């Protein structure tokens, strides 16, 4: 079903209104780096740890546009609203300090660092080019692999040349939150502002330069039924793999504050996916290609606002997904069962009969 122009406008007006509220809660200036340690695996199978850091950049410019950015995203709310140039220049030093502190416990197990910016690492408005280069220069000497995230529009030669100048592209994973390879879902549910064509162009260019590419898949966007969310995630992974991505990250939705997703959730119009869906999708995607690194480590798993099951099996599934993501071994995911599996399967059928196919009938593109 296609939304009328009035409904499409109301959709973005609402997201924009919520983003204004979200931005009003952001600190104007701060230099805090949030950091944690993840399991990590290199393409040659070496297992170890990665230090993830959220850098206090200006955050996503797309989110600050009038239409409010992606309908599910709350990431920029932790970043400063207006950091000064001086604050941004301090990021390499602060990141290095944080790295040293976090590494203490793991000594030689640290293989990688992941830089999250709540937006695009390659956007020079968010993170000035000289600061970006300084971060990459320093960390290229500390770890074997660096992960960065960006929207497609910043994947241009100028930015890729600037990265290539300071680090070998084969050591950099560029992650893109494409979310789905279905343009209709990205437009009507996610307000993503990326088309499949734009994503394809970005992936091709990155591969030409020798970067490694990771595609993010958003599992169960708003206005999409559980069954269709499953189909869409697997379809999108297939398309991304055909394009040549090296890794897929499955990101099951959780309810972020001041988002359209939260508004629907509070009115009973949306619920995050079941952990069964996460598990099934992870297994199916990994089976698409054993060389593809699949990460499936859901945020808020088992919590009210995150993907969940009956409550009894949530923790064990969460732990199994973690072990799988760090090892790529499907043995951790196979043979899991619980009494709620039956309820889940019946829900999928009932949902299809009661609400048809969600808003979207699924036929891929
Ligand atoms: S999901 Fe990414 S592109 Fe979308 S608003 Fe959030 S940070 Fe920006
Ligand atoms: Zn259960």
């Amino acid at each position: 079903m296609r939304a009328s122009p009035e409904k499409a406008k109301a959709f973005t007006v609402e997201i924009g209104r919520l983003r204004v509220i979200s931005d009003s809660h952001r600190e104007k200036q701060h230099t805090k780096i949030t950091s944690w340690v993840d399991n990590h695996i290199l393409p040659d199978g070496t297992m170890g740890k990665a230090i993830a850091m959220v850098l206090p950049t200006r955050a996503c410019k797309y989110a600050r546009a009038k239409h409010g950015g992606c309908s599910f995203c709350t990431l920029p709310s932790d970043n400063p609203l207006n950091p000064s140039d001086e604050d941004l220049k301090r990021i390499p030093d602060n990141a290095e300090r944080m790295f040293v502190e976090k590494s203490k416990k793991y000594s030689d197990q640290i293989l990688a660092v992941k830089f999250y910016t709540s937006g695009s690492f390659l956007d020079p408005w968010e993170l000035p080019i000289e600061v970006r280069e300084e971060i990459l220069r320093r960390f290229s000497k500390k770890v074997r692999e660096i992960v960065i995230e960006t929207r497609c529009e910043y994947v241009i030669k100028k930015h890729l040349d600037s990265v290539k100048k300071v680090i070998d592209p084969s050591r950099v994973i560029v992650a893109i939150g494409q979310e789905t390879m279905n343009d209709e879902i990205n437009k009507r549910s996610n307000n993503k502002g990326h088309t499949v064509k734009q994503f394809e162009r970005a992936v091709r260019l990155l591969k030409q330069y020798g970067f490694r590419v990771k595609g993010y898949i958003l599992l169960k966007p708003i206005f999409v039924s559980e069954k269709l969310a499953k189909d869409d995630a697997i379809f999108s992974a297939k398309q991304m793999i055909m394009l040549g991505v090296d890794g897929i990250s499955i990101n099951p939705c959780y309810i972020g504050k001041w988002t359209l997703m939260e508004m629907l959730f509070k009115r009973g119009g949306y619920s995050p996916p079941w952990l069964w869906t996460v598990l099934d999708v992870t297994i199916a995607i990994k089976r698409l290609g054993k060389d593809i690194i699949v990460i499936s480590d859901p945020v808020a798993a088992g919590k009210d606002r995150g993907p969940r099951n009956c409550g009894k099996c949530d923790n064990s599934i969460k732990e199994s997904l973690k072990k799988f993501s760090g090892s790529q071994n499907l043995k951790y995911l196979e043979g899991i069962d619980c009494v709620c599996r039956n309820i889940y399967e019946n829900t999928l059928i009932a949902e299809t009969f009661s609400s048809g196919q969600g808003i979207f009938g699924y036929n891929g593109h």
Side-chain angles (χ1 to χ4, degrees):
M1 189 202 295
R2 287 185 187 267
S4 65
E6 296 76 35
K7 280 191 181 152
K9 188 155 183 252
F11 172 62
T12 53
V13 166
E14 194 53 29
I15 300 171
R17 184 186 73 81
L18 292 162
R19 186 72 63 185
V20 171
I21 299 173
S22 163
D23 278 349
S24 72
H25 287 82
R26 278 168 70 173
E27 273 181 59
K28 286 224 160 29
Q29 268 179 294
H30 76 72
T31 55
K32 287 172 283 195
I33 294 180
T34 309
S35 177
W36 64 93
V37 178
D38 279 336
N39 290 332
H40 195 77
I41 185 164
L42 296 177
D44 66 5
T46 311
M47 290 193 271
K49 302 284 177 194
I51 295 183
M53 293 188 222
V54 182
L55 305 179
T57 66
R58 295 196 167 94
C60 184
K61 191 159 53 185
Y62 180 74
R64 286 175 76 175
K66 230 178 169 183
H67 54 63
C70 302
S71 60
F72 55 89
C73 177
T74 183
L75 297 176
S77 62
D78 292 328
N79 282 45
L81 192 60
N82 287 312
S84 68
D85 291 346
E86 288 312 306
D87 288 342
L88 296 173
K89 279 185 199 153
R90 271 186 228 124
I91 291 179
D93 280 346
N94 292 346
E96 204 167 356
R97 254 196 301 278
M98 180 58 84
F99 181 84
V100 172
E101 194 189 311
K102 287 277 163 182
S103 313
K104 276 181 196 154
K105 199 171 150 197
Y106 298 97
S107 59
D108 53 355
Q109 287 184 68
I110 305 294
L111 302 173
V113 62
K114 301 177 184 180
F115 291 120
Y116 301 134
T117 63
S118 307
S120 297
F121 190 87
L122 297 181
D123 175 4
W125 173 81
E126 205 182 310
L127 189 66
I129 292 175
E130 47 304 348
V131 180
R132 171 217 291 170
E133 288 180 358
E134 184 56 24
I135 294 170
L136 292 173
R137 191 176 293 116
R138 290 191 196 191
F139 282 88
S140 67
K141 296 175 195 130
K142 296 183 187 301
V143 289
R144 289 173 60 182
E145 205 165 79
I146 295 182
V147 183
I148 59 173
E149 296 178 327
T150 188
R151 283 181 61 84
C152 292
E153 55 265 37
Y154 305 110
V155 179
I156 56 172
K157 288 184 173 172
K158 181 180 161 196
H159 297 322
L160 301 190
D161 284 336
S162 111
V163 174
K164 196 178 169 183
K165 202 169 73 185
V166 289
I167 181 169
D168 175 355
S170 69
R171 294 174 54 209
V172 180
I173 299 178
V174 181
I176 302 179
Q178 173 63 18
E179 324 300 0
T180 167
M181 292 294 272
N182 181 319
D183 278 340
E184 199 65 12
I185 293 181
N186 253 346
K187 190 170 177 192
R188 309 290 180 205
S189 293
N190 296 334
N191 197 32
K192 187 76 213 179
H194 275 179
T195 61
V196 168
K197 267 206 169 126
Q198 286 169 312
F199 178 69
E200 288 171 348
R201 181 206 62 79
V203 175
R204 285 199 189 101
L205 188 62
L206 286 163
K207 299 301 287 183
Q208 272 171 29
Y209 271 76
F211 287 96
R212 302 203 359 255
V213 184
K214 190 198 267 194
Y216 287 170
I217 291 178
L218 187 77
L219 184 57
K220 204 179 173 198
I222 54 174
F223 310 137
V224 175
S225 69
E226 193 89 19
K227 170 77 173 70
L228 291 170
K230 261 178 122 163
D231 292 347
D232 180 59
I234 297 166
F235 165 82
S236 298
K238 272 187 198 156
Q239 300 291 309
M240 288 182 182
I241 291 169
M242 272 161 55
L243 251 182
V245 304
D246 306 274
I248 303 253
S249 192
I250 302 162
N251 297 329
C253 284
Y254 63 93
I255 311 294
K257 260 187 167 183
W258 306 301
T259 57
L260 187 60
M261 184 173 274
E262 183 187 49
M263 211 173 99
L264 292 169
F265 173 71
K266 284 182 174 165
R267 292 175 184 183
Y270 177 80
S271 60
W274 285 71
L275 278 168
W276 290 124
T277 296
V278 182
L279 186 76
D280 291 357
V281 163
T282 307
I283 295 172
I285 294 178
K286 184 62 191 175
R287 284 185 180 153
L288 292 173
K290 69 175 174 33
D291 295 334
I292 301 293
I293 294 187
V294 180
I295 303 297
S296 183
D297 188 6
V299 174
K303 305 258 166 61
D304 282 354
R305 288 178 159 241
R308 60 186 187 276
N309 278 356
C310 66
K312 283 193 180 140
C313 59
D314 298 37
N315 247 337
S316 69
I317 294 181
K318 184 176 130 184
E319 286 311 309
S320 303
L321 287 166
K322 252 190 205 313
K323 284 184 190 151
F324 162 76
S325 298
S327 66
Q328 297 298 292
N329 194 335
L330 277 172
K331 76 173 182 193
Y332 292 112
L333 304 183
E334 285 159 344
I336 297 175
D337 204 4
C338 179
V339 282
C340 69
R341 178 81 205 190
N342 252 345
I343 302 169
Y344 165 70
E345 280 170 9
N346 286 327
T347 307
L348 289 185
I349 299 166
E351 187 189 53
T352 307
F353 282 120
S354 66
S355 63
Q357 293 289 296
I359 285 189
F360 299 102
Y362 199 77
N363 58 1
H365 285 288

